[in-house]
């Protein structure tokens, strides 16, 4: 059966990633059987230089929007942006309930309220180990460790096979907060049979374990304790366990705590509301922080990934109430996410220029990953004993590496897919049966647009080549005059001469007989652009306005 047929999917079990396979971020996964679908996660990724002016990129849900009547619900594994970030923009149109544990639901509720759509989305809170039925899908939440509270894998029972969808996970004997499933509990799930393990591939190349959150306490105490002046610690705001540890570090080093960053305030609020971080130390505001002796202050700040509007970037640029000087320290209790190296380096250079000391995970044991290395993958394979591993949550190289590793560990079969590959998991051997659209959407201001549409393509051209505006004045079909302005075209020293030559070209083109205004406009556009190309080697966008007087 193909996606174009009625009653699709049929008596089969299908899997389709609309995001998160072939990339790290923007997770959106569909499972289908007996004519119905469920979605796991609905996240975002963040804009790069390829998308000028864009902060948020989301999956294009066209495939499931066309089948929205058959979608039964969205199950959220955890509260990271790459798993819930698109909910405020896309979930209301799907019109189905969302299922999330308390902490994740708290984060989602904040996001819905910020966008003013909290009444348009049915958000349902489920327990950490909840079981619930969505049509032919029986879902069981299984808590696992990760770098955020209450991450839950999902066991999905269907008439055609049993899936363990891992979400983002790691193994941690001392997670600081939360109680993830034990080896015995995961073995029991394996004893009941797991046909398909759909699994996080982020750290598939790492031959070591990810490390324990609880093992960071002493390294952070040492790093902060060695500091002479003010100390700023930057970490991922969503890591409540790390925030708990940093609260302990502040106490152990005799420093008063200050928190800088809206996302940190939000995480602290949701964590406390759901029963966590009850013993987090009291904090002071920025004014009080600046009045404290320099060696008595510790600030937890957002911005460890180089985000230009986050607290750390503003501190580095002297645009924040917290001021850093020679002898102060910034501790990066985080890892550089690939693609952020330049932005992070820019902030580190600003700090170095102030003679502020920076400490990273390469110098001290102050960060651990939230994703499994090879020993953890091997352990999970051994406990669950899946018949087939389907790698997700990774670039192509990460997913292929996990596939190779799984086979080497004795997993009978693997299937590597990517966004848009419609996979039939059962009956029969797992295989890709069709390629469907799995595009991207951009949030541009308050408008959602296709990532490959005219707007972003025009913006790229503007950014690369610049723009020229030409006004041509005509009287009774005869050329009178032109006026020209330009932006972003690389002519600075001879502007008047450049404009005069373009005006002359516009005049010559406008003086030629033309059948209609469009022919006239195109002639002027080409003539002006030819001059610009001769001068600069660029092909700017040329807009022509014809004015009749």
């Amino acid at each position: 059966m193909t996606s174009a047929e009625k009653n699709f999917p049929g008596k089969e079990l299908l899997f389709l990633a609309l995001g998160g396979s072939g990339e790290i971020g923007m997770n959106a996964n569909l499972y289908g059987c007996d004519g119905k679908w469920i979605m796991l996660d609905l996240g975002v990724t963040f804009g790069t230089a390829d998308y000028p002016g864009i902060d948020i990129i989301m999956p294009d849900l066209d495939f499931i929007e066309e089948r929205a009547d058959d979608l039964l619900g969205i199950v959220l594994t955890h509260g990271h942006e790459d798993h819930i970030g698109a909910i405020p923009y896309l979930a209301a149109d799907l019109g189905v309930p969302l299922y999330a544990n308390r902490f994740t639901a708290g984060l989602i509720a904040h996001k819905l309220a910020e966008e003013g759509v909290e009444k348009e989305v049915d958000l349902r809170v489920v327990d950490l180990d909840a079981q619930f039925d969505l049509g032919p899908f029986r879902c069981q939440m299984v808590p696992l460790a990760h770098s955020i509270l209450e991450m839950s894998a999902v066991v999905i029972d269907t008439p055609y096979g049993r899936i363990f969808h891992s979400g983002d996970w790691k193994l941690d004997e001392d997670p600081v907060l939360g109680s993830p499933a034990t080896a015995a509990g995961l073995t029991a799930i394996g004893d009941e049979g797991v046909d398909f393990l759909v699994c996080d591939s982020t750290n598939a190349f790492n031959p070591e374990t990810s490390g324990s959150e609880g093992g960071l306490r002493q390294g952070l105490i040492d790093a902060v304790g060695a500091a002479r002046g003010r100390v700023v610690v930057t970490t991922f705001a969503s890591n409540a366990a790390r925030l708990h540890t940093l609260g302990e570090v502040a106490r152990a080093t005799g420093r008063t705590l200050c928190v800088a960053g809206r996302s940190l305030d939000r995480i602290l609020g949701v964590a406390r509301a759901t029963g966590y971080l009850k013993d987090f130390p009291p904090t002071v505001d920025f004014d009080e922080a600046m009045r404290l002796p320099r060696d008595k202050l510790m600030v937890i700040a957002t911005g460890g990934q180089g985000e230009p509007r986050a607290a750390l970037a503003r501190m580095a640029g002297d645009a924040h109430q917290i001021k850093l000087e020679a002898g102060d320290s910034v501790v990066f209790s985080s890892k550089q996410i690939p693609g952020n190296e330049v932005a992070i380096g820019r902030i580190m250079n600003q700090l170095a220029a102030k003679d502020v000391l920076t400490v990273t995970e390469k110098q001290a044991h102050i960060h651990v990953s939230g994703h499994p290395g090879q020993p953890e993958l091997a352990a999970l394979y051994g406990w669950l004993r899946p018949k087939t591993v389907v790698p997700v949550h990774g670039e192509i190289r990460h997913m292929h590496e996990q596939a190779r590793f799984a086979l080497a560990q004795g997993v009978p079969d693997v299937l590597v897919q990517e966004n848009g590959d419609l996979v039939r998991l059962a009956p029969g051997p797992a295989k890709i049966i069709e390629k469907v659209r799995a595009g991207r959407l951009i949030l541009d201001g308050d408008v959602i647009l296709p990532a490959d549409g005219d707007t972003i393509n025009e913006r790229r051209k503007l950014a690369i080549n610049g723009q020229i505006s030409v006004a041509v004045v005509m009287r009774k079909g005869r050329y009178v005059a032109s006026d020209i302005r330009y932006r972003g075209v690389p002519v600075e020293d001879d502007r008047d001469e450049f404009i005069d030559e373009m005006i002359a070209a516009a005049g010559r083109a406008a003086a030629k007989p033309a059948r209609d205004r469009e022919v006239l406009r195109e002639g002027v556009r080409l003539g002006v652009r030819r001059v610009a190309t001769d001068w600069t080697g660029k092909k700017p966008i040329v807009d022509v306005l014809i004015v009749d007087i």
Side-chain angles (χ1 to χ4, degrees):
M1 177 171 279
T2 68
S3 60
E5 297 180 53
K6 293 182 178 180
N7 302 316
F8 171 81
K11 295 189 176 301
E12 57 190 339
L13 176 58
L14 302 180
F15 172 72
L16 173 63
L18 295 178
S21 287
E23 61 189 340
I24 295 178
M26 204 179 75
N27 296 279
N29 300 288
L30 292 168
Y31 292 96
C33 75
D34 289 348
K36 300 298 180 183
W37 297 89
I38 61 171
M39 181 182 288
L40 266 64
D41 295 327
L42 184 53
V44 299
T45 190
F46 298 103
T48 64
D50 293 333
Y51 296 93
I54 303 302
D55 292 327
I56 292 176
I57 301 172
M58 301 174 284
D60 186 338
L61 302 184
D62 183 63
F63 176 89
I64 195 62
E65 286 173 347
E66 293 177 355
R67 301 164 175 82
D69 290 344
D70 297 323
L71 182 65
L72 301 175
I74 304 173
V75 181
L76 289 314
T77 60
H78 65 288
H80 276 148
E81 288 294 309
D82 60 328
H83 292 258
I84 67 168
I87 287 172
Y89 312 108
L90 302 179
D93 288 341
L94 293 173
V96 296
L98 275 58
Y99 299 85
N101 57 49
R102 292 174 305 153
F103 183 78
T104 304
L107 295 176
I108 293 171
H110 269 270
K111 297 179 75 65
L112 295 174
E114 286 178 352
E115 293 298 319
V117 295
E118 65 271 28
K119 295 181 180 179
E120 300 175 32
V121 177
D122 181 6
L123 177 58
R124 303 183 183 183
V125 179
V126 298
D127 293 335
L128 287 173
D129 56 354
Q131 291 191 25
F132 51 95
D133 292 336
L134 296 175
F137 305 94
R138 168 159 287 186
C139 299
Q140 176 188 351
M141 309 295 273
V142 180
L144 294 178
H146 185 44
S147 53
I148 194 171
L149 288 170
E150 299 190 359
M151 205 309 292
S152 294
V154 186
V155 177
I156 306 170
D157 282 295
T158 77
Y160 311 102
R162 194 172 196 229
I163 303 152
F164 189 101
H165 184 101
S166 77
D168 296 4
W169 67 281
K170 62 182 288 185
L171 298 180
D172 195 337
E173 294 182 355
D174 184 11
V176 178
L177 297 178
S179 300
T182 63
L186 294 167
T187 299
I189 293 173
D191 290 343
E192 296 172 357
V194 172
D195 296 301
F196 309 99
L197 170 58
V198 180
C199 190
D200 179 358
S201 305
T202 309
N203 279 351
F205 284 99
N206 185 4
E208 307 293 335
T209 60
S210 58
S212 174
E213 190 69 34
L216 297 178
R217 186 176 185 273
Q218 191 57 52
L220 286 164
I221 288 175
D222 292 343
V224 173
R228 294 182 288 111
R230 291 186 181 119
V231 175
V232 175
V233 181
T234 183
T235 190
F236 296 108
S238 58
N239 193 338
R242 190 73 52 84
L243 299 181
H244 175 87
T245 299
L246 291 173
E248 294 183 329
V249 169
R251 284 198 184 98
T253 57
R255 289 178 179 262
T256 299
L257 205 53
C258 177
V259 173
R262 288 180 57 198
S263 56
L264 280 166
D265 292 333
R266 182 171 61 250
I267 292 293
L268 287 168
V270 174
R272 286 166 170 154
T274 51
Y276 300 97
L277 298 180
K278 294 295 188 181
D279 59 349
F280 192 75
T283 60
V284 297
D285 62 23
F286 301 145
D287 290 337
E288 177 65 21
M290 289 301 293
R291 288 194 291 267
L292 290 170
R294 306 186 68 80
D295 62 350
K296 296 300 181 184
L297 175 65
M298 174 176 151
V299 181
I300 305 176
T302 57
Q305 295 304 309
E307 302 95 321
R309 293 191 293 271
L312 181 61
R314 290 186 287 127
M315 291 177 198
D318 288 328
H320 196 279
Q321 295 96 315
I322 299 294
K323 304 301 181 184
L324 297 177
E325 302 173 7
D328 292 339
S329 300
V330 175
V331 177
F332 285 80
S333 183
S334 57
K335 183 179 182 178
Q336 291 186 359
I337 294 175
N340 293 342
E341 296 89 350
V342 172
I344 296 170
R346 185 179 299 116
I347 289 175
M348 286 184 170
N349 285 329
Q350 287 178 294
L351 294 170
K354 298 174 181 290
D355 201 19
V356 172
L357 177 68
T358 57
V359 182
T360 72
E361 61 163 350
K362 295 180 179 179
Q363 299 156 273
H365 185 50
I366 55 176
H367 178 68
V368 292
S369 174
H371 299 273
Q374 291 179 356
E376 292 152 288
L377 291 170
L380 189 66
Y381 301 158
W383 296 329
L384 297 180
R385 287 146 284 158
K387 297 175 183 175
T388 301
V389 165
V390 180
V392 292
H393 201 291
E395 298 173 8
I396 295 296
R397 59 194 175 102
H398 301 115
M399 297 193 300
H400 276 274
E401 181 63 20
Q402 184 180 181
R404 286 190 288 267
F405 183 72
L407 291 173
Q409 294 298 309
V411 175
D413 194 16
V414 297
L415 186 142
V416 178
Q417 49 75 54
E418 57 184 296
N419 296 341
D421 287 342
L422 183 60
V423 177
R424 180 184 290 124
L425 297 174
K431 64 179 180 179
I432 298 168
I433 59 172
E434 191 176 336
K435 187 75 174 179
V436 304
R437 174 173 170 76
R440 292 179 159 205
L441 303 174
I442 55 174
L443 181 65
D444 195 359
D446 295 327
V447 181
I448 296 174
L449 297 169
D452 57 355
D454 290 342
T455 297
I456 200 68
N457 288 331
E458 288 176 0
R459 192 171 299 166
R460 290 187 185 114
K461 292 176 183 177
L462 284 168
I464 294 170
N465 294 302
Q467 186 264 350
I468 300 172
S469 296
V470 184
V472 176
V473 180
M474 306 289 289
R475 180 187 289 119
K476 296 181 179 180
R478 293 193 170 196
Y479 173 71
V480 175
S482 298
D483 191 23
I484 291 179
R485 298 287 186 274
Y486 67 89
R487 294 177 181 272
V489 180
V491 177
E492 298 183 1
D493 293 337
D494 301 307
R495 295 176 66 91
D496 292 342
E497 184 181 349
F498 179 49
I499 289 174
D500 288 345
E501 193 167 326
M502 288 191 291
I503 288 174
R508 288 192 297 272
K512 295 179 180 178
R515 298 190 308 273
D516 55 39
R517 294 173 70 88
E518 288 307 312
V519 173
L520 170 61
R521 180 179 286 107
E522 181 65 5
V524 171
R525 187 187 73 84
L526 291 175
V528 169
R529 194 178 74 170
R530 191 175 298 114
V531 172
T533 302
D534 289 344
W535 271 68
T536 68
K538 310 284 278 188
K539 293 183 178 180
I541 293 174
V542 179
D543 296 313
V544 179
L545 174 66
I546 308 296
V547 181
D548 289 310
I549 60 172

